[in-house]
Amino acid sequence: MFLTAVSFVASVFLLWFGADWIVESASRIARRFNVSELVIGLTIVALGTSAPEFLVTITAAFKGYADISLSNVVGSNIFNLGFILGLMAIIKPLPTTKAIVHRDAPLLLLTTALILGMATYGNLGRGTGILLMTILVGYIGYLFVQTKRANAVTAGIAHLQEDIEEVVEALSWKDWTKLIAGFVGIALGGELMVDSASTIARSFGISNWVIGMTIVAAGTSLPELVTCLAATLKGRNEMLLGNLIGSDFFNFAGVLGLTCIMRPLHVYPEALPGLTVLVGMVALVIVFIRTGWKVTRTEGVILVALSMLRWVQDFAQ
């Protein structure tokens, strides 16, 4: 069990550093070839920051752990909107924008509700995956058309872009090495996390769904937590709300959508309460950000409490 725990911790660090290296090196390479900041944000950074969720989700799907695959995405989104968003609001209230209230947050709510509706049939097939990817492509296409407004919204998907170096230096072999190492790191991290999580679940008699909703979800969300905490402590929290909402949308439309296309997922009955909670949490966040156009400290406490209560409920089952 000790070695299993060490493997899980190692997988978290591999996913964390792997994603960070992909974002940093790929963005430097893209800038060197005059790729626009918008394209970098919507593609490279979005891919890199969602890579941990994707690698864990797709690895679990191909290993036959559909419950871990779906619960990782659902749990990660609950962790983002509950614990991380709430904690950041407690440290400093988070301002919002009309674009988030009237467009991005409702889109996340509709996407989450769509997945819940599809999940009631007991399967998320390739048709669902194609639909989710179509929504994602349509959303990104809209942002490209609305270039002037997209500069702010892009951060909702590309939540690490602000930490990338502004000055483009000459490329070296280290950039390419770091890019390759990043992909190798998240591949190994995803493999280790799925294997160690399933072993922990069996050892303690806990379902794979619960492990995926809690420990695995928190592990794959660690990059978001560290990044958001660093931005808040530096007083740069203006875009954190859009970052987290965008991250959740990309996890569902991109990560889950592509996974369903590659490997359709069977939905276990225990998945429906978690998805229902997530729909309710997204709706609650919309209410919070619409009243006063910010998430207050009190509302942050409520979000963290709901997130922790969900963990307790999962382990108590």
Side-chain angles (χ1 to χ4, degrees), residues 177-252:
T177 302
K178 184 175 274 190
L179 179 65
I180 296 173
F183 278 108
V184 172
I186 60 173
L188 292 176
E191 182 88 10
L192 275 176
M193 181 168 284
V194 171
D195 289 341
S196 57
S198 59
T199 300
I200 292 172
R202 288 194 300 269
S203 299
F204 288 96
I206 302 172
S207 69
N208 285 333
W209 174 264
V210 172
I211 289 294
M213 279 282 290
T214 54
I215 298 175
V216 174
T220 55
S221 293
L222 186 60
E224 283 94 338
L225 174 59
V226 174
T227 302
C228 289
L229 184 59
T232 298
L233 294 178
K234 293 176 182 177
R236 300 159 61 187
N237 70 334
E238 292 82 4
M239 291 307 301
L240 289 186
L241 182 59
N243 293 350
L244 292 172
I245 289 178
S247 176
D248 276 17
F249 172 72
F250 196 84
N251 283 346
F252 262 154

Side-chain angles (χ1 to χ4, degrees), residues 1-50:
M1 178 52 65
F2 175 74
L3 291 178
T4 301
V6 171
S7 295
F8 184 85
V9 173
S11 71
V12 171
F13 280 98
L14 283 171
L15 291 172
W16 179 4
F17 285 107
D20 186 53
W21 288 348
I22 290 173
V23 170
E24 181 182 349
S25 58
S27 297
R28 282 170 54 85
I29 293 170
R31 284 193 182 92
R32 180 64 181 82
F33 289 97
N34 297 319
V35 177
S36 71
E37 293 291 325
L38 179 60
V39 174
I40 292 174
L42 290 172
T43 54
I44 297 171
V45 180
L47 171 65
T49 53
S50 291

Side-chain angles (χ1 to χ4, degrees), residues 49-50 52-54 57 69-84 212-214 216-224 244 247-248 251-252 278 281 307 311:
T49 53
S50 291
E53 284 88 350
F54 176 70
T57 298
S69 189
L70 180 58
S71 64
N72 171 49
V73 178
V74 175
S76 179
N77 282 7
I78 291 178
F79 193 79
N80 285 347
L81 290 184
F83 185 81
I84 298 180
M213 279 282 290
T214 54
V216 174
T220 55
S221 293
L222 186 60
E224 283 94 338
L244 292 172
S247 176
D248 276 17
N251 283 346
F252 262 154
L278 182 55
M281 183 165 285
S307 180
W311 272 42

Side-chain angles (χ1 to χ4, degrees), residues 59-276:
T59 299
F62 276 98
K63 283 180 172 288
Y65 298 121
D67 40 5
I68 290 182
S69 189
L70 180 58
S71 64
N72 171 49
V73 178
V74 175
S76 179
N77 282 7
I78 291 178
F79 193 79
N80 285 347
L81 290 184
F83 185 81
I84 298 180
L85 176 58
L87 180 60
M88 297 308 108
I90 292 173
I91 297 174
K92 184 179 181 180
L94 302 176
T96 186
T97 64
K98 288 185 178 181
I100 293 176
V101 174
H102 298 308
R103 182 187 63 204
D104 303 323
L107 178 61
L108 175 61
L109 178 62
L110 291 175
T111 304
T112 307
L114 173 65
I115 293 173
L116 173 60
M118 294 292 187
T120 57
Y121 292 98
N123 184 65
L124 294 176
R126 289 189 172 88
T128 301
I130 293 173
L131 179 58
L132 291 174
M133 288 299 296
T134 301
I135 293 173
L136 176 62
V137 172
Y139 177 69
I140 292 177
Y142 176 80
L143 293 185
F144 270 106
V145 173
Q146 301 292 329
T147 305
K148 293 181 179 179
R149 298 172 61 189
N151 288 334
V153 180
T154 300
I157 302 176
H159 47 278
L160 289 183
Q161 186 169 2
E162 61 182 6
D163 291 325
I164 300 173
E165 294 180 23
E166 295 290 338
V167 179
V168 180
E169 301 175 0
L171 290 179
S172 69
W173 62 270
K174 293 182 180 179
D175 295 307
W176 298 99
T177 302
K178 184 175 274 190
L179 179 65
I180 296 173
F183 278 108
V184 172
I186 60 173
L188 292 176
E191 182 88 10
L192 275 176
M193 181 168 284
V194 171
D195 289 341
S196 57
S198 59
T199 300
I200 292 172
R202 288 194 300 269
S203 299
F204 288 96
I206 302 172
S207 69
N208 285 333
W209 174 264
V210 172
I211 289 294
M213 279 282 290
T214 54
I215 298 175
V216 174
T220 55
S221 293
L222 186 60
E224 283 94 338
L225 174 59
V226 174
T227 302
C228 289
L229 184 59
T232 298
L233 294 178
K234 293 176 182 177
R236 300 159 61 187
N237 70 334
E238 292 82 4
M239 291 307 301
L240 289 186
L241 182 59
N243 293 350
L244 292 172
I245 289 178
S247 176
D248 276 17
F249 172 72
F250 196 84
N251 283 346
F252 262 154
V255 173
L256 187 60
L258 188 57
T259 299
C260 290
I261 293 174
M262 297 175 67
R263 187 80 169 188
L265 299 176
H266 173 71
V267 180
Y268 294 87
E270 59 186 336
L272 299 181
L275 281 167
T276 303

